[in-house]
Amino acid sequence: MNPLFAAMSVFVVALSVPVVKANEPAPALMPWPAEIKMQSGRFRLDSGLRLAVDGQVSDRMAGAATRFLRRLDERTGLFLAQNRISTADRDSTAQIRLACHRPGQLELFEDESYRLTITPAGVELSAVTDIGILRGLETLLQCLAADQDGYYLPALQIDDAPRFPWRGLMLDVCRHFMPMEVIKRNLDGMAMMKMNVFHWHLSEDQGFRIECKTFPKLHEMGSDGFYFTHAQVREVIAYAADRGIRVIPEFDMPGHATSWFVGYPELASAPGPYEIVRSWGIMDPVMNPIREETYEFLDRFLAEMTALFPDDYFHIGGDENNGKQWNANPEIQAFMQAHGIPDNHALQMHFNNRILELLTKYGKKMVGWDEILHPGMPRNIVIQSWRGKEALIQAARQGYQSILSNGYYIDLMQPTDFHYLNDPLPADTPLTADEAKRILGGEATSWAELVTPETVDSRIWPRTAAIAERLWSPATVQELDDLYRRLNRIDFLLETVGLTHRRNTELMLRRLADGGDIEPLRTLIDVVEPVKIYNRHRQGKTFTSYSPYTRAADAAHADQPVARNFRRLVQDFLQQRDRTQAEQIRLLLARWQANDAALQKTLHRSPISRDVAPLSKSLALIADHGLQAMDRLERGKHLTAKELDAARLDLQQAKQPAAECELMVVSAIEALVESAATKAKSR
Ligand code: ACM
């Protein structure tokens, strides 16, 4: 028991009436806590609710308590009496009491644990640090439930702490610029999911996205005017700090740096001139690692940027240098020869070591993508593994701290369970216990080639909630049905902090329907996903920074719930042959069969939507085959050879992507058809 609550608990015990009742059902929490005990009884919420603080109360804690009350009254409609919570709100008779021992530091390994106790008489939330209180308040908001008598919090006790100390989201604001409101609402989403590192990818071939006072041509010539001022950067850092989130900037070097060279071509390894890149891919321009002027420039640059960003860690990128400019530059080749530098990776290590000296001078620790792993690098750098798990393991074995991003590339539109089951430290890890301690956690990466401010939230959420749970919750929390049950709820709650992953889809569908009825489009989009990995670039269109990202593939999400639920339903039906399941399947198939005709009006009025025509037609055709298969299965009959051939042909066709999308119910309908072909059974 937290000593701060010693007096309070006397009060709680005095008020609680001992009743023998069943325990409350567990709320849909994400991330799932380390320990939870459901108890019996409900704490009722009404407008008399008051909140008080205790212990060493920081402004951050008071601010979080105030935001908590506003989020609570927004969801409940209760007119709560309290406005801003201050450090002086210490009324020990308040029903919700928060107590912490000390303000937390925004640094790696800071204590984020908390204990949450809900009884019918009230709520106690205690933590070592105010950051723990923030984490607990998010849990508490997720506990909010309702019944016929109104709103309540179920009685429970939670003891919670993260499994990994580094739980991040990387946001690329370069390929497409992401304005302040995108950053802030995603910080709110991160806070809800107890994530604690915002990795801000600020420079790229396609844009230099931060004001640089020392070298103003960086943002003036490298950003088309889309960059963050110092004042905005400070605002983001403060906003993140208020939510217990560290901000780590990334300045990608020596490659991915064309936008730097627009204003300062002398930094590059070939003469230039350079322009902001408008296309996607790996570019040749790379910093010149043999000129002292490069390091003098970077020294002054880093002096400014390390002073602006307070975090201990600083990311230098380091990825995807193709070395072509180095190979073609005779002076660089001569330098390598003279210094016995055998290859480009070793030359990049030379560059990285020079940057490390500078960062060390400015009191920073270096983070980089896994390319910075090289035998000559000191052990105090952090490796971010993206090309495979091997770098993570190698790095940890060699004594480096490392974080995992391979498997958390949310821009690749892969399903939630793929990311969820991707564990930085799986049960069969080859690492020893000491090596395993060097695995700090992971980061979801939101690359923005095909992502705009309108779609970015739908690419990040809700899948990143599953990654957040992997990084916070015990390794044993792995049950997929339970994940999806909770994710469904969290998906909605994430909207309540301003994220636009669902509502922007509505807007996009209206645009696609040119203001007309969106239902037929929605019915189609619900079972369609953009093609995965990097395949969207291979479907015939060449995408650039000024392409439209407003088509069906942009409106469609990854891991569409309607399609996922249908696949599950079919799987269950084929095992259980339940009549209700059959009815649900037939209803969906009938809707899809009829949808193509309903969609024609939209396609007619709105040319932008027309590329979905083949998907819609395929869906109608295979739904028809699915209905036929259901009919036979239920009557204990087979499909004829001719029917089966026709179905297989259409199913095969339906597997082809169109409009850079794929239908996500083909395999399930195929399973129905094949089942009706081979072992029709009577029920
Ligand atoms: C990366 O995805 N190039 C780090």
Side-chain angles (χ1 to χ4, degrees):
M1 166 68 67
N2 183 329
L4 285 167
F5 282 130
M8 295 178 183
S9 44
V10 173
F11 168 78
V12 173
V13 169
L15 269 196
S16 52
V17 187
V19 275
V20 183
K21 269 201 198 158
N23 284 348
E24 290 290 316
L29 302 175
M30 275 192 89
W32 192 250
E35 278 181 50
I36 176 168
K37 283 192 217 96
M38 295 311 300
Q39 287 161 352
S40 70
R42 297 176 173 185
F43 170 67
R44 293 275 157 199
L45 297 176
D46 58 38
S47 55
L49 180 76
R50 279 168 299 112
L51 182 150
V53 289
D54 199 1
Q56 239 209 314
V57 182
S58 63
D59 288 344
R60 169 163 55 208
M61 178 163 149
T66 303
R67 288 198 304 279
F68 166 83
L69 287 180
R70 295 296 77 82
R71 283 164 67 188
L72 195 62
D73 64 31
E74 281 166 13
R75 281 178 58 200
T76 60
L78 291 171
F79 284 66
L80 302 178
Q82 285 171 300
N83 182 12
R84 296 176 73 82
I85 297 296
S86 82
T87 56
D89 278 301
R90 290 173 184 260
D91 175 3
S92 65
T93 66
Q95 302 96 327
I96 298 186
R97 282 148 302 160
L98 320 178
C100 89
H101 288 283
R102 62 173 173 85
Q105 299 298 315
L106 275 175
E107 58 189 32
L108 191 63
F109 298 117
E110 179 54 293
D111 193 316
E112 298 174 89
S113 67
Y114 66 92
R115 165 175 284 192
L116 175 64
T117 309
I118 304 174
T119 71
V123 176
E124 290 177 1
L125 173 59
S126 62
V128 175
T129 69
D130 56 348
I131 298 173
I133 294 291
L134 266 51
R135 307 295 179 241
L137 285 172
E138 295 295 343
T139 304
L140 188 53
L141 277 164
Q142 291 180 15
C143 289
L144 179 64
D147 60 15
Q148 65 283 1
D149 295 329
Y151 290 100
Y152 70 91
L153 298 164
L156 53 71
Q157 172 141 345
I158 288 174
D159 282 288
D160 202 5
R163 177 175 170 216
F164 292 106
W166 189 309
R167 306 176 308 279
L169 171 65
M170 188 224 72
L171 194 65
D172 171 7
V173 298
C174 302
R175 270 53 176 263
H176 282 97
F177 183 65
M178 301 289 164
M180 288 291 276
E181 61 267 26
V182 171
I183 313 286
K184 286 187 175 178
R185 67 189 190 227
N186 277 285
L187 287 168
D188 281 313
M190 290 175 66
M192 186 185 266
M193 288 303 117
K194 302 180 171 44
M195 299 177 84
N196 64 358
V197 177
F198 173 52
H199 168 171
W200 204 353
H201 186 79
L202 281 164
S203 68
E204 256 304 338
D205 297 303
Q206 292 85 358
F208 192 93
R209 301 299 183 194
I210 181 170
E211 174 190 20
C212 181
K213 293 185 191 289
T214 318
F215 300 108
K217 284 192 283 181
L218 285 172
H219 66 278
E220 286 170 6
M221 297 179 71
S223 76
D224 296 317
F226 293 110
Y227 62 88
F228 298 96
T229 64
H230 276 215
Q232 287 175 318
V233 168
R234 286 198 195 92
E235 194 178 327
V236 166
I237 292 168
Y239 196 89
D242 277 346
R243 285 149 186 79
I245 297 171
R246 301 160 49 205
V247 178
I248 299 181
E250 177 187 349
F251 294 96
D252 210 341
M253 57 181 89
H256 281 285
T258 311
S259 65
W260 304 56
F261 308 150
V262 183
Y264 300 94
E266 64 275 17
L267 287 175
S269 302
Y274 293 90
E275 287 182 359
I276 296 173
V277 177
R278 311 287 172 186
S279 56
W280 313 134
I282 299 176
M283 308 299 155
D284 298 343
V286 57
M287 290 179 186
N288 189 326
I290 67 162
R291 290 178 76 238
E292 274 314 300
E293 291 85 343
T294 302
Y295 301 107
E296 284 159 19
F297 183 104
L298 289 173
D299 188 359
R300 294 174 59 201
F301 173 81
L302 291 173
E304 177 178 333
M305 295 304 164
T306 54
L308 185 58
F309 289 91
D311 201 79
D312 291 342
Y313 289 80
F314 200 94
H315 204 302
I316 62 139
D319 56 319
E320 295 183 317
N321 165 20
N322 69 16
K324 287 187 188 169
Q325 281 197 345
W326 289 354
N327 297 341
N329 180 322
E331 285 161 15
I332 291 177
Q333 293 306 306
F335 178 92
M336 288 170 75
Q337 194 112 45
H339 292 80
I341 296 174
D343 54 30
N344 286 339
H345 194 202
L347 182 58
Q348 188 162 336
M349 185 200 71
H350 165 81
F351 173 86
N352 290 343
N353 265 317
R354 295 292 304 267
I355 303 303
L356 181 60
E357 270 174 40
L358 298 174
L359 286 179
T360 306
K361 176 170 83 173
Y362 295 118
K364 300 293 183 189
K365 294 175 188 156
M366 184 161 122
V367 192
W369 300 105
D370 55 47
E371 286 94 331
I372 73 167
L373 189 61
H374 191 284
M377 292 304 291
R379 295 296 184 269
N380 58 355
I381 62 174
V382 176
I383 308 296
Q384 182 162 13
S385 177
W386 73 279
R387 292 179 297 178
K389 307 271 177 321
E390 199 45 34
L392 189 83
I393 291 164
Q394 286 311 321
R397 281 197 170 138
Q398 292 169 28
Y400 297 95
Q401 292 183 319
S402 57
I403 50 179
L404 183 63
S405 278
N406 176 267
Y408 298 140
Y409 266 47
I410 47 181
D411 60 318
L412 302 185
M413 307 307 280
Q414 289 162 292
T416 312
D417 56 1
F418 169 80
H419 299 301
Y420 186 62
L421 298 176
N422 183 53
D423 195 321
L425 269 176
D428 62 355
T429 179
L431 299 176
T432 66
D434 275 347
E435 290 164 351
K437 281 195 199 118
R438 300 188 189 118
I439 309 287
L440 300 176
E443 285 185 4
T445 52
S446 174
W447 298 105
E449 283 90 342
L450 304 177
V451 179
T452 65
E454 184 172 62
T455 57
V456 63
D457 297 0
S458 74
R459 274 50 192 151
I460 299 175
W461 308 105
R463 288 175 301 149
T464 294
I467 297 172
E469 172 156 299
R470 178 54 50 235
L471 298 173
W472 176 284
S473 304
T476 49
V477 177
Q478 287 203 345
E479 222 272 293
L480 292 180
D481 284 346
D482 193 54
L483 164 74
Y484 282 120
R485 177 186 71 82
R486 293 178 289 115
L487 192 66
N488 195 34
R489 176 79 183 152
I490 293 305
D491 193 344
F492 148 70
L493 288 180
L494 285 164
E495 283 210 285
T496 66
V497 291
L499 287 162
T500 63
H501 54 298
R502 295 289 167 204
R503 77 169 104 122
N504 277 7
T505 309
E506 299 289 301
L507 168 71
M508 296 177 81
L509 292 181
R510 280 197 289 280
R511 187 196 285 126
L512 283 169
D514 194 31
D517 176 20
I518 64 172
E519 279 316 307
L521 262 181
R522 193 209 308 271
T523 298
L524 177 64
I525 289 291
D526 275 350
V527 294
V528 152
E529 293 177 13
V531 291
K532 293 161 188 62
I533 321 292
Y534 294 109
N535 284 326
R536 220 179 140 189
H537 299 286
R538 301 185 190 116
Q539 304 291 307
K541 291 218 157 39
T542 302
F543 291 99
T544 65
S545 54
Y546 51 90
S547 302
Y549 294 93
T550 52
R551 296 157 58 246
D554 304 293
H557 292 206
D559 204 359
Q560 295 278 30
V562 173
R564 186 196 328 121
N565 293 339
F566 178 76
R567 294 194 298 270
R568 181 59 195 261
L569 188 60
V570 166
Q571 191 187 335
D572 289 348
F573 167 74
L574 288 175
Q575 279 167 14
Q576 299 158 16
R577 302 297 169 113
D578 176 270
R579 190 184 290 273
T580 318
Q581 292 165 348
E583 190 54 34
Q584 289 173 333
I585 291 171
R586 265 194 270 101
L587 271 174
L588 284 164
L589 290 171
R591 186 191 301 165
W592 298 334
Q593 185 197 37
N595 194 59
D596 190 46
L599 186 66
Q600 295 310 312
K601 207 163 132 193
T602 310
L603 303 189
H604 183 73
R605 71 182 281 159
S606 184
I608 184 177
S609 66
R610 275 180 209 159
D611 60 359
V612 303
L615 290 169
S616 176
K617 182 153 178 268
S618 275
L619 181 63
L621 283 173
I622 64 172
D624 195 45
H625 294 302
L627 282 168
Q628 191 177 47
M630 287 301 289
D631 177 65
R632 300 302 151 84
L633 287 170
E634 292 196 278
R635 291 196 294 125
K637 297 267 194 298
H638 290 263
L639 292 169
T640 66
K642 201 169 152 205
E643 287 166 340
L644 188 59
D645 282 348
R648 283 178 175 161
L649 199 66
D650 286 336
L651 284 161
Q652 215 45 44
Q653 181 59 33
K655 288 179 186 168
Q656 299 306 312
E660 299 135 42
C661 292
E662 54 188 331
L663 282 171
M664 299 307 294
V665 292
V666 185
S667 59
I669 295 177
E670 188 171 47
L672 290 174
V673 165
E674 292 303 328
S675 185
T678 55
K679 51 173 182 75
K681 271 191 218 149
S682 51
R683 290 164 53 243

